[in-house]
Amino acid sequence: MGCLGLGLLTSLLALPGCEDKPEKAHVPVHPFAGQTVTVAFPAATGFGDAWRAALDEWGEQTGAKCSLAEYVRGPGLKELPAADVVVLSYADLPAVESGNRLARIPDTTQAGDVSAGWIDFFPGLRERVLTIAGRPTLVPISCPMLTCYLRADLLTKAGLKPPATWDDYQTLLDTLPKWAPGLTAVEPWGEDFRASLFLSRALSSVKKPGNYSVFFNIDTGAPLIDSPGFARALTQSVAQFAKLSPDSIKLSPADCRRLMFSGRAAMALSYEPGRGDEKPIERAPGVALVFARLPGARHVYESNTKTWDTVADADANHATLAPIGGLAIAVPKSTPPERAEAAWNLVTFLSVDRFQQALANVPKSVCRESQLAKAVDWIGPELHTDELYGYLAATSESLRTTNLSPELPVIGRAEFRRSLTEGITGALERKATPEAALKEVADRWNAISAGFGVERIRDSYRDCIGLSPVLKLPDIPGSRR
């Protein structure tokens, strides 16, 4: 049996060595002959001739046909595209009510060698992002997250290390003129990314392992954005913002990355774009980089007990906000049973057997343990070999931890995010204290929640962080609950 296999038996559990074999896989005669599988994907995301070639190859092997349907996201996807296989932005999952509309990955694709398949995905990604409403649902293409970029040559010369906590990060900012004279530090505080950056910075102060009530209370649906943990993180962000290049207020992650390679910045928060078809950035002579996961916190606010927990001095609480952007593949529940097996087989072919070929021009990032060796070919050419492996080590460590949360994974995400951006802006511009700014954000969130219905907000939030729905007991005449 070749890499494609029959039906779903090899599906998502194809062994790592099968990926991208040059020879054509041997398959029994056309197992899906006569079927047409419709594949929908968002416009302007890089799917092109390589995508078509892979689909044609799958059709030749299985006897099925593929029909492509490109869709435009616009300001936000409201309805799930009509298709048997759908490529979705993570940001759109709450709006399409993925817990109700996306199918579970069949059990036959979850059993097998622990080094492959579902178990092969990084644990935090697998349990907190790919699991919807308690069910394995999504197959990732990419899962971007912020990472610390630092000038390794300058740190080594000064006898310094990458920051373990945000307090360490503050020290590096305060002493920047000494260890990196003439250079600056940058962060992507541009308006479009402002909420993502703040939540990435704040998460370690509000989320410990096993804590799900981060942005909203998982039992009541009440917003938690004005908790003392978020307020402390915003206070710290405002203080550190004052030490950054003034341009940071308008920068994107790509801008920050460019400033690091050009030799103008000594510290930055950004991520590798995961595509090799863009023009490389000209790298300044002598620049050597080191990568680290975002700093952690030694004081974490517990929203359930309304107390602060202090982590041991030798350690820090690290938490990962991921994904910030990125794409995943899913099969809708509306796919008829007679096409569902073919649909999942196609998902396997695209995400395992021909991942690099089919997604050659699509931004992608390492999401599986078995992808680490292959991922060196996906990252831009600017990185030196040791830097490349350092970046992969930092990002994989961030995705292995189950102390991870998606960014505002709830219906109404765009509205919640917009009001948070406005509140952060007020604090950065010193028009409001961090506490007052977040209190106003919480008031707006309450109004947004009331518009959707608080229970719907709660259930959507639970779905999108991998929890099972709240058990609703039937009404019994004469009973009191």
Side-chain angles (χ1 to χ4, degrees), residues 65-135:
K65 294 181 180 179
C66 285
S67 173
L68 296 181
E70 187 177 62
Y71 67 91
V72 179
R73 291 185 59 216
L77 194 65
K78 298 301 182 184
E79 295 291 335
L80 197 64
D84 304 307
V85 174
V86 181
V87 178
L88 288 165
S89 165
Y90 295 104
D92 290 330
L93 291 171
V96 302
E97 297 188 276
S98 51
N100 297 323
R101 300 187 185 182
L102 297 182
R104 175 193 178 102
I105 297 174
D107 289 341
T108 49
T109 69
Q110 298 173 48
D113 193 313
V114 296
S115 69
W118 183 249
I119 300 300
D120 190 32
F121 292 120
F122 294 124
L125 176 61
R126 183 180 70 231
E127 297 178 22
R128 301 292 181 260
V129 178
L130 308 181
T131 297
I132 303 292
R135 306 185 304 266

Side-chain angles (χ1 to χ4, degrees), residues 129-308:
V129 178
L130 308 181
T131 297
I132 303 292
R135 306 185 304 266
T137 302
L138 304 172
V139 177
I141 293 173
S142 55
C143 186
M145 82 210 74
L146 285 176
T147 305
C148 277
Y149 288 55
L150 301 116
R151 283 285 297 269
D153 52 316
L154 300 179
L155 287 178
T156 300
K157 183 179 179 180
L160 300 173
K161 299 185 299 183
T165 67
W166 288 109
D167 289 336
D168 297 338
Y169 185 86
Q170 178 75 60
T171 299
L172 286 179
L173 285 176
D174 291 340
T175 60
L176 190 67
K178 294 182 179 179
W179 66 270
L183 300 185
T184 187
V186 291
E187 293 180 7
W189 284 106
E191 185 174 358
D192 290 344
F193 201 76
R194 199 165 295 162
S196 302
L197 175 56
F198 170 65
L199 295 178
S200 295
R201 287 171 131 270
L203 201 61
S204 61
S205 294
V206 296
K207 183 175 182 359
K208 290 183 65 178
N211 174 23
Y212 291 91
S213 295
V214 178
F215 306 120
F216 297 87
N217 185 291
I218 60 171
D219 296 318
T220 67
L224 301 173
I225 193 64
D226 60 340
S227 76
F230 280 111
R232 175 178 287 187
L234 185 54
T235 299
Q236 191 174 49
S237 296
V238 170
Q240 294 177 354
F241 176 77
K243 299 285 185 176
L244 303 174
S245 164
D247 288 340
S248 290
I249 194 64
K250 59 185 180 182
L251 296 181
S252 68
D255 295 328
C256 294
R257 179 178 179 269
R258 189 176 302 109
L259 289 168
M260 286 298 298
F261 285 115
S262 66
R264 294 170 58 189
M267 295 173 61
L269 303 182
S270 187
Y271 58 85
E272 289 299 295
R275 61 191 305 170
D277 61 341
E278 295 180 342
K279 183 179 179 180
I281 300 170
E282 185 175 350
R283 183 164 172 158
V287 171
L289 301 181
V290 64
F291 297 93
R293 62 188 302 188
L294 287 196
R298 291 207 170 95
H299 303 283
V300 188
Y301 185 75
E302 294 274 8
S303 61
N304 291 329
T305 61
K306 294 181 170 46
T307 58
W308 286 94

